[in-house]
């Protein structure tokens, strides 16, 4: 039995399979990780590769009504109450900065999100809540994931 005959016999199944294959083959995957190990949200989206990561991110977030966010051309400022903040202890000489970081295909973004682009519809975008730490006159870490294993959110 050739492929055309199978497609004629099962048009609904064939259409569903082709739709699944095309959406996963030609769309980025993405997730949002807060302070809990479980993602806040995940998805698949076909994107315009000429748009910046920032523009695409805002579009994604607008589609999810359960997420409350503040974002601008540089990235996410706040998402579901997790916002960019700075903590410091001048006497002890340390600074801790929290905020939203992104990676594409597990590589940390080195530019603001409005300066970054996807290179393929098969890229994976991850936004995660992270922190940077300054002590003893130097930055010890940058965009380190802040995951609280006891959190349920």
């Amino acid at each position: 039995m050739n492929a055309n005959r199978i497609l004629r016999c099962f048009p609904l199944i064939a259409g569903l399979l082709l739709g699944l294959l095309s959406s996963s083959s030609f769309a980025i995957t993405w997730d949002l990780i807060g302070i809990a190990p479980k993602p806040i949200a995940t998805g698949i989206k076909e994107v315009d590769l000429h748009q910046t990561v920032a523009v695409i991110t805002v579009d994604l977030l607008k589609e999810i009504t359960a997420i409350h966010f503040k974002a601008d051309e540089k990235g996410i400022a706040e998402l579901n109450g997790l916002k960019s903040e700075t903590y410091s202890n001048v006497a002890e000489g340390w600074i801790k900065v929290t905020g939203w970081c992104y990676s594409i295909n597990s590589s940390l973004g080195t530019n603001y999100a409005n300066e970054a682009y996807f290179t393929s519809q098969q890229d994976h975008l991850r936004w995660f809540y992270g922190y940077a730490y300054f002590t003893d006159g130097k930055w010890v870490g940058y965009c380190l994931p802040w995951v609280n294993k006891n959190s349920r959110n």
Side-chain angles (χ1 to χ4, degrees):
M1 192 178 264
N2 67 30
N4 287 336
R5 191 175 286 171
I6 292 171
L7 289 177
R8 276 195 303 251
C9 294
F10 302 102
L12 179 60
I13 293 171
L16 289 173
L17 287 174
L18 288 173
L20 287 173
L21 289 173
S22 66
S23 67
S24 62
S25 297
F26 301 107
I28 65 159
T29 55
W30 60 270
D31 55 19
L32 301 170
I33 310 291
I35 59 172
K38 182 181 176 187
I40 295 169
T42 63
I44 298 171
K45 182 173 181 69
E46 187 174 342
V47 299
D48 177 350
L49 297 177
H50 295 97
Q51 290 184 325
T52 66
V53 169
V55 168
I56 291 167
T57 296
V58 170
D59 288 347
L60 287 171
L61 294 174
K62 284 179 180 177
E63 293 174 5
I64 307 169
T65 57
I67 290 180
H68 305 285
F69 72 96
K70 293 178 186 172
D72 63 19
E73 69 279 354
K74 292 184 179 175
I76 299 173
E78 181 177 350
L79 195 145
N80 283 0
L82 296 173
K83 54 186 162 184
S84 300
E85 296 183 294
T86 301
Y87 307 92
S88 65
N89 185 319
V90 177
E92 294 179 15
W94 60 264
I95 301 170
K96 187 174 190 176
V97 180
T98 63
W100 287 92
C101 302
Y102 74 92
S103 66
I104 298 174
N105 302 327
S106 299
S107 294
L108 277 178
T110 55
N111 297 326
Y112 287 119
N114 66 324
E115 300 168 343
Y117 295 87
F118 294 103
T119 58
S120 165
Q121 291 287 350
Q122 296 170 341
D123 286 342
H124 178 75
L125 171 65
R126 169 167 286 164
W127 279 95
F128 62 95
Y129 196 65
Y131 68 95
Y133 194 75
F134 181 87
T135 188
D136 297 327
K138 63 183 177 204
W139 287 100
V140 179
Y142 164 74
C143 276
L144 303 168
W146 183 326
V147 176
N148 178 352
K149 303 219 181 334
N150 297 322
S151 177
R152 295 185 186 137
N153 295 333

